[in-house]
Amino acid sequence: METVNFMKQNVKLYNLKRIIQVLSIAFSLICFLFILISCSIYFGDRTTVIYGKVTDQNKEAVDSILVEASGLWALYNLQNIKQTYTDENGNYEMVIEVPRKYNSLDIGIPYDMIANSKFQNNYSHDIVWKNGKQTYNCCIASIGEKTEYNFQLKPNK
């Protein structure tokens, strides 16, 4: 009787060890997958493309308008990363290798810059479309994506 009890305890102990081994392997695999996913998010492609067109109130192309991309980090800290001017057809494009310290990009037409004198002299504000839809919470672009921002400039009154 004692031998039978001893054998039953050994079988239970063996089964418990097997369960612990399987759980340990499963836990290790889950940790490995988590690390792999985290690395791909952190080390993933941060190349961001911003493009679009700037037009006036008559939907005519406006050249020589400065468009700016600023990196957002911490709470409300913006730092200019890249800027470009619209071409003769009102088009612009920026390909940006976004540094890791930025968690998003703010895209816009700077209003108060000497470098944007054509805007200052002729326009007071703009209306913005993001990927074809008008937006009122302008203009946060996701890092690693291609986003279209079209601006319609409104004249000074």
Side-chain angles (χ1 to χ4, degrees):
M1 183 89 160
E2 218 174 280
T3 308
V4 172
N5 283 338
F6 180 72
M7 287 176 48
K8 284 182 181 178
Q9 285 178 344
N10 278 346
V11 169
K12 286 181 183 179
L13 187 59
Y14 175 77
N15 287 339
L16 183 61
K17 284 181 182 179
R18 291 291 290 158
I19 290 170
I20 290 172
Q21 284 176 338
V22 168
L23 289 174
S24 176
I25 291 170
F27 180 74
S28 297
L29 285 173
I30 290 170
C31 289
F32 176 74
L33 287 174
F34 178 75
I35 291 169
L36 188 64
I37 290 169
S38 297
C39 286
S40 71
I41 289 170
Y42 183 75
F43 294 110
D45 187 14
R46 294 180 61 85
T47 304
T48 304
V49 178
I50 306 298
Y51 70 100
K53 187 168 189 160
V54 177
T55 58
D56 63 13
Q57 71 278 7
N58 299 319
K59 298 187 179 171
E60 297 291 326
V62 181
D63 67 345
S64 306
I65 296 294
L66 183 66
V67 180
E68 178 175 88
S70 298
L72 181 64
W73 56 281
L75 285 176
Y76 295 105
N77 296 313
L78 287 173
Q79 184 174 7
N80 185 2
I81 295 177
K82 194 162 191 173
Q83 32 182 236
T84 190
Y85 285 92
T86 56
D87 65 16
E88 63 276 357
N89 298 314
N91 296 315
Y92 72 93
E93 180 176 273
M94 293 182 273
V95 178
I96 307 164
E97 295 297 328
V98 182
R100 297 247 172 256
K101 71 178 182 178
Y102 302 113
N103 53 32
S104 64
L105 293 175
D106 182 62
I107 310 303
I109 295 175
Y111 295 164
D112 299 323
M113 291 184 65
I114 295 171
N116 216 3
S117 61
K118 185 170 186 175
F119 180 86
Q120 285 179 329
N121 295 332
N122 300 301
Y123 305 101
S124 62
H125 66 283
D126 55 32
I127 300 172
V128 183
W129 285 266
K130 178 180 180 180
N131 294 325
K133 294 183 180 180
Q134 189 171 353
T135 180
Y136 297 99
N137 57 347
C138 193
C139 294
I140 302 299
S142 298
I143 293 174
E145 295 182 12
K146 186 173 184 175
T147 309
E148 177 184 29
Y149 285 101
N150 294 316
F151 298 88
Q152 185 179 29
L153 306 181
K154 297 299 179 180
N156 288 334
K157 301 214 176 193

